[in-house]
Amino acid sequence: MDRLLTLPVAMALLLSGEFGTADEPSRYRLELGADLSYVDTNGYPSWAEGSAGKLRYDSDSDGLMLSQAYADYSLRLADTLDMHTVALLYSDDIGSTVDFSEAYLEWRPMTLTENRYRLKLGAFYPRVSLENTGPGWSSPYTISSSATNTWIAEEFRTFGTEFSISRKPEFLGGSHTLSLQAAAFYLNDPAGTLLSWKGWSDMQDPYLAPFREIDNRVGYYVNGEWVVGTRFLLRIMHYDNRADPESYEDGQFGWRTKFDHVGLQATLPGDVGLIAQWMEGSTVWGWYYQGVRAVDADFYSGFLLLTKSLDRHRLSVRYDLFDVSENDTYPLDENSEYGEAWTFAYQYRASDFATLAVEWLQIETYRDAWEYFGLEDEKTESQLQISLRLSFSSGT
Amino acid sequence: MRSWQALPLVTAAVWLPALLLPLANEAVASSVEVSVVDRDAKPVAGVAVYWRLPDGERQVAISGTTAVMDQVDTRFVPHVLVVQTGTSVQFPNSDTVAHHVYSFSHPNQFKLPIYKGDAHPPVTFVESGLVILGCNIHDNMLGYILVVDTPVFGITDENGKAQLTTGDSDGELVIWSPRIRDGEEALVKALVPTGNAAQQVDFRLGKALRPAFDEKTEALAWTGY
């Protein structure tokens, strides 16, 4: 989150939580997790080292490491007012970093009406991912997130407010919920930089600063959601950061990024879970040159995930698709790419505190710009990751 | 030794009919088996069934009657609870997380404070009607308490059947479930007592049921999205 907050703030928050008695709930909830990973990679040097690879790790970093840790902390300030903060620690070839990924207040007024109202204020992810429902934006299904949600995690954060109105299920026949969210935000003008210059990838990059306000234009998204019990969920969003593509400040450019997103989650017969997301949009930057802007790219990405849980075991498979097509004509700045990825993951929940995961990921990418590095423009990269997640929670 | 052990049984055999006799004299009990099936003739479980007294007569529960609506795995258990008017319902919390239970159903509106365990006195429902429960912390929690002016009620089992023992006056049998979409007329049947002879009353629904709310599935995470 661009180091908006620092670790001492987190420690102060942790110490402020009171411990409750047996019946009186404590006013906080803390979830901690750490991933010990063994990684074996076969591909280009990692993008995290400023190179071309799609994967977060490369063969230099093969071996055992503490790859990620999170602290997800909620504090109840009043009966209907909560504060949420999520701190993440990342380690890879270029070192470790601790950063806040989300920090916001949520007001949940208790209204005796047919509608439910919610208000968020602060820094939070837009309502896109159906994968990253665990604490610290982790996925209950796989170790690596899809290209779509990785990009959301990297470049999108809503510094602003989201208002949500939903119809209570009992007024829609018992199991249906309809809700509508509208958000207004600041500080997301550089969104789109990474996608154009690096392309899609598998893990968040903690070293970028996509959260800046350059042109003082407020962005927005609107999202509609339909949920049927624990059987079906559909969400549709339109996002527009309304950035001025000719704006520039302190080495950061404004990227006008718009997209539409459709997410679907369903429980299929045989208790097989399905998640599908599709996102399509465009990003433009710079002045006009020969009738188009310096960078003018259309993108789409999507994935389909199937998952099955049996007692302590879970098997998941995901197919990813991603594409950037450039319309601009600047020479030596070819940012188009197309790729597909397969992910196979197995998890074993050994106890409430320990989960073992094995994941194999293969990405096949076509990217013209790789020729500038003297590389083949078509490359298949693969990664085997074995991970032990230790997790702990306390409070209510 | 054997005859000594059998003694209490013999005593009970003498005493029990004597104890039950005054009840039988007061009101001729009529045994009714209610069956609810959907439009495909499949049994419907979890349907509330109660006996509505004639002429709007109300029978309020004796003081001290209690019932329990628990919270387990961020669900209300049971999903549908039927109680007689005047019953005090306890809302324990069997989860490790806190809940913030409320009802906005007129005239039985209430808000409980945020709590874990069994921290506060029960809620007494003095008016009949449907009470819809929610939790302000867990938006997807939903439960129902049906408060009825009669002590004669039940819930259909997995075979779609419930056994009631009604009084000796004319009345109506009423069924209710959040899953049923049929109109009022399909949910009420007149019941004329037949003395001690058992009766069978069948309800066959005409419209498709709404999906069951509290199907538990492990396939996907449905909270926090």
Side-chain angles (χ1 to χ4, degrees), chain A residues 200-355:
Chain A
W200 302 92
S201 60
D202 81 311
M203 267 287 189
Q204 278 193 65
D205 187 338
Y207 287 89
L208 277 126
F211 314 119
R212 297 187 68 108
E213 188 56 37
I214 296 167
D215 56 15
N216 294 316
R217 277 161 54 159
V218 173
Y220 75 93
Y221 66 76
V222 285
N223 180 64
E225 218 159 276
W226 173 33
V227 183
V228 185
T230 54
R231 289 271 137 198
F232 176 84
L233 178 151
L234 178 71
R235 59 168 54 153
I236 299 176
M237 173 188 277
H238 178 70
Y239 176 102
D240 187 346
N241 71 356
R242 294 182 67 249
D244 175 2
E246 296 181 7
S247 59
Y248 175 86
E249 190 181 281
D250 295 341
Q252 294 283 334
F253 304 99
W255 290 75
R256 175 71 181 272
T257 300
K258 296 189 273 192
F259 65 80
D260 294 308
H261 171 255
V262 179
L264 177 106
Q265 168 168 323
T267 305
L268 305 177
D271 243 12
V272 173
L274 175 148
I275 298 177
Q277 286 180 233
W278 185 259
M279 174 193 276
E280 213 172 293
S282 65
T283 184
V284 297
W285 165 75
W287 292 268
Y288 280 101
Y289 173 79
Q290 294 179 355
V292 284
R293 293 198 185 268
V295 175
D296 179 338
D298 293 333
F299 59 83
Y300 66 77
S301 82
F303 72 89
L304 186 81
L305 179 144
L306 291 172
T307 182
K308 170 80 183 171
S309 164
L310 265 178
D311 294 331
R312 295 170 171 274
H313 309 270
R314 180 184 283 282
L315 272 175
S316 305
V317 57
R318 183 180 64 215
Y319 173 71
D320 262 278
L321 198 65
F322 50 91
D323 180 280
V324 180
S325 304
E326 221 171 12
N327 306 314
D328 60 84
T329 52
Y330 265 40
L332 285 178
D333 184 30
E334 177 55 69
N335 297 312
S336 294
E337 72 169 14
Y338 168 80
E340 294 173 36
W342 281 98
T343 308
F344 299 91
Y346 165 75
Q347 284 181 357
Y348 175 70
R349 192 164 45 80
S351 73
D352 287 348
F353 308 104
T355 300

Side-chain angles (χ1 to χ4, degrees), chain A residues 21-25 29 76 79-80 108-110 112-113 116 118 127 130 133 140-141 168-171 173-175 225 227-233 235 265-267 271-275 307 309 314 395-396, chain B residues 75 96-98 100-104 109-119 132-142 144 178-179 210-225:
Chain A
T21 62
D23 287 342
E24 280 285 310
R29 180 161 182 85
R76 186 167 296 128
D79 280 358
T80 59
R108 308 167 66 82
M110 197 190 260
L112 301 184
T113 64
R116 193 177 267 146
R118 303 284 182 250
R127 202 176 278 259
L130 291 170
T133 52
Y141 316 111
K168 288 176 180 166
E170 49 273 31
F171 297 101
S175 50
E225 218 159 276
V227 183
V228 185
T230 54
R231 289 271 137 198
F232 176 84
L233 178 151
R235 59 168 54 153
Q265 168 168 323
T267 305
D271 243 12
V272 173
L274 175 148
I275 298 177
T307 182
S309 164
R314 180 184 283 282
T396 53
Chain B
R75 272 149 207 274
T96 54
V97 296
H100 198 182
V101 176
Y102 64 86
S103 149
F104 50 82
Q109 296 186 334
F110 66 89
K111 293 177 189 177
L112 300 181
I114 292 179
Y115 68 106
K116 276 202 307 185
D118 198 358
I132 302 174
L133 303 172
C135 171
N136 198 51
I137 297 174
H138 305 99
D139 285 349
N140 50 354
M141 282 176 71
L142 176 61
Y144 301 89
R179 299 184 63 194
R210 295 190 181 101
F213 175 81
D214 48 358
E215 280 176 297
K216 186 81 178 160
T217 157
E218 296 288 315
L220 295 162
W222 287 91
T223 51
Y225 47 76

Side-chain angles (χ1 to χ4, degrees), chain B residues 51-60 128 149-150 170-172:
Chain B
W51 184 50
R52 195 187 297 169
L53 300 167
D55 309 321
E57 187 194 328
R58 297 182 68 203
Q59 280 188 11
V60 177
S128 59
D149 291 325
T150 168
D170 289 359
E172 291 170 327

Side-chain angles (χ1 to χ4, degrees), chain B residues 153-191:
Chain B
F153 55 79
I155 293 264
T156 58
D157 59 19
E158 66 270 24
N159 299 314
K161 289 184 165 43
Q163 312 288 337
L164 301 184
T165 305
T166 64
D168 63 344
S169 54
D170 289 359
E172 291 170 327
L173 278 177
V174 187
I175 60 169
W176 180 86
S177 162
R179 299 184 63 194
I180 294 177
R181 296 194 298 172
D182 290 56
E184 172 84 22
E185 66 285 353
L187 311 180
V188 180
K189 288 197 179 203
L191 187 72

Side-chain angles (χ1 to χ4, degrees), chain A residues 16-156:
Chain A
S16 67
E18 320 151 23
F19 289 85
T21 62
D23 287 342
E24 280 285 310
S26 46
R27 309 296 285 187
Y28 78 99
R29 180 161 182 85
L30 172 66
E31 300 194 64
L32 298 172
D35 291 355
L36 288 167
S37 299
Y38 170 81
V39 187
D40 183 12
T41 306
N42 172 18
Y44 285 151
S46 166
W47 55 259
E49 292 177 20
S51 187
K54 290 276 119 189
L55 299 164
R56 184 175 157 212
Y57 306 106
D58 56 31
S59 47
D60 289 355
S61 56
D62 285 355
L64 199 64
M65 67 177 91
L66 174 72
S67 56
Q68 179 177 313
Y70 63 78
D72 197 319
Y73 180 72
S74 301
L75 180 65
R76 186 167 296 128
L77 303 171
D79 280 358
T80 59
L81 186 66
D82 287 358
M83 185 187 66
H84 301 276
T85 49
V86 182
L88 300 178
L89 178 145
Y90 283 98
S91 304
D92 48 36
D93 297 26
I94 45 176
S96 300
T97 183
V98 175
D99 207 355
F100 277 81
S101 61
E102 291 189 283
Y104 62 90
L105 293 171
E106 187 178 25
W107 184 41
R108 308 167 66 82
M110 197 190 260
T111 50
L112 301 184
T113 64
E114 297 179 2
N115 294 326
R116 193 177 267 146
Y117 306 95
R118 303 284 182 250
L119 190 72
K120 275 186 185 180
L121 190 71
F124 48 90
Y125 294 107
R127 202 176 278 259
V128 171
S129 177
L130 291 170
E131 267 186 313
N132 306 88
T133 52
W137 231 66
S138 60
S139 163
Y141 316 111
T142 55
I143 301 172
S144 314
S145 292
S146 63
T148 307
N149 294 323
T150 301
W151 185 48
I152 290 293
E154 273 181 342
E155 290 213 281
F156 292 90

Side-chain angles (χ1 to χ4, degrees), chain B residues 34-44 160 175 180 182-183 185-189 201-209:
Chain B
V34 181
S35 150
V36 183
V37 295
D38 65 12
R39 61 177 184 174
D40 302 321
K42 287 193 186 124
V44 186
I175 60 169
I180 294 177
D182 290 56
E185 66 285 353
L187 311 180
V188 180
K189 288 197 179 203
V201 179
D202 299 326
F203 288 88
R204 181 161 185 166
L205 303 169
K207 293 185 177 171
L209 292 168

